[in-house]
Amino acid sequence: MSSLLTGLSSWLAGDEEARPAEYGLWQRGSPTGWYQHSKTSGWSFWRWWRRSLPRHIGLELLVYLVLYYVIHLLYRAVLTDEQKTEFEEIVTYFNEKLSPLARDLAFLLGFYVKMIVTRWWNQFKQ
């Protein structure tokens, strides 16, 4: 057990001699081999589900869709014409008040994306 801890601590410290050969990317095989292995190992729904987009955003998407359709059904079936007019005024109010905020957020997002792309480009050039 102590030799395992010594090996791990020296490996984490950056000692290249202590690092086992199997930890190197190219020691484990070429990218073509990994691709071929992933294609020949068979298709499994659970393997697909672990890496799928619906799994990672599924709960938020489900909540959004349920709320959207509840509001839609309430608007269409339950509200009177006067209540529909009030609801439309509320929607217009929030649209007017949040549009400048959305513009500012898009502007800041542009700076963030520029920074990320610059970092990626600098790493790519090295």
Side-chain angles (χ1 to χ4, degrees):
M1 182 72 174
S2 66
S3 63
L4 176 64
L5 292 176
T6 305
L8 282 175
S9 64
S10 61
W11 178 67
L12 290 173
D15 188 10
E16 291 297 325
E17 292 81 35
R19 182 176 293 184
E22 65 266 11
Y23 286 106
L25 174 65
W26 302 113
Q27 299 295 329
R28 288 184 262 165
S30 68
T32 308
W34 281 99
Y35 177 76
Q36 202 61 23
H37 173 72
S38 69
K39 291 297 179 188
T40 58
S41 61
W43 186 85
S44 165
F45 174 76
W46 295 114
R47 189 178 322 166
W48 171 83
W49 179 251
R50 283 190 312 231
R51 297 177 286 176
S52 70
L53 185 61
R55 176 180 180 239
H56 295 289
I57 65 166
L59 181 62
E60 290 87 359
L61 180 63
L62 182 66
V63 168
Y64 174 79
L65 289 174
V66 166
L67 286 175
Y68 175 82
Y69 283 110
V70 165
I71 292 171
H72 181 75
L73 289 174
L74 286 174
Y75 180 80
R76 295 285 181 198
V78 176
L79 297 181
T80 64
D81 288 337
E82 182 181 318
Q83 291 171 333
K84 286 181 183 180
T85 305
E86 288 181 30
F87 181 77
E88 289 168 2
E89 290 173 0
I90 291 171
V91 169
T92 304
Y93 172 79
F94 278 108
N95 191 26
E96 290 172 357
K97 298 298 180 189
L98 292 181
S99 289
L101 179 64
R103 185 178 56 238
D104 294 342
L105 285 175
F107 185 69
L108 291 174
L109 183 62
F111 282 117
Y112 177 73
V113 170
K114 179 188 176 291
M115 183 179 66
I116 296 299
V117 169
T118 302
R119 284 184 184 174
W120 173 81
W121 185 250
N122 288 337
Q123 286 180 355
F124 180 74
K125 287 192 314 187
Q126 289 178 4

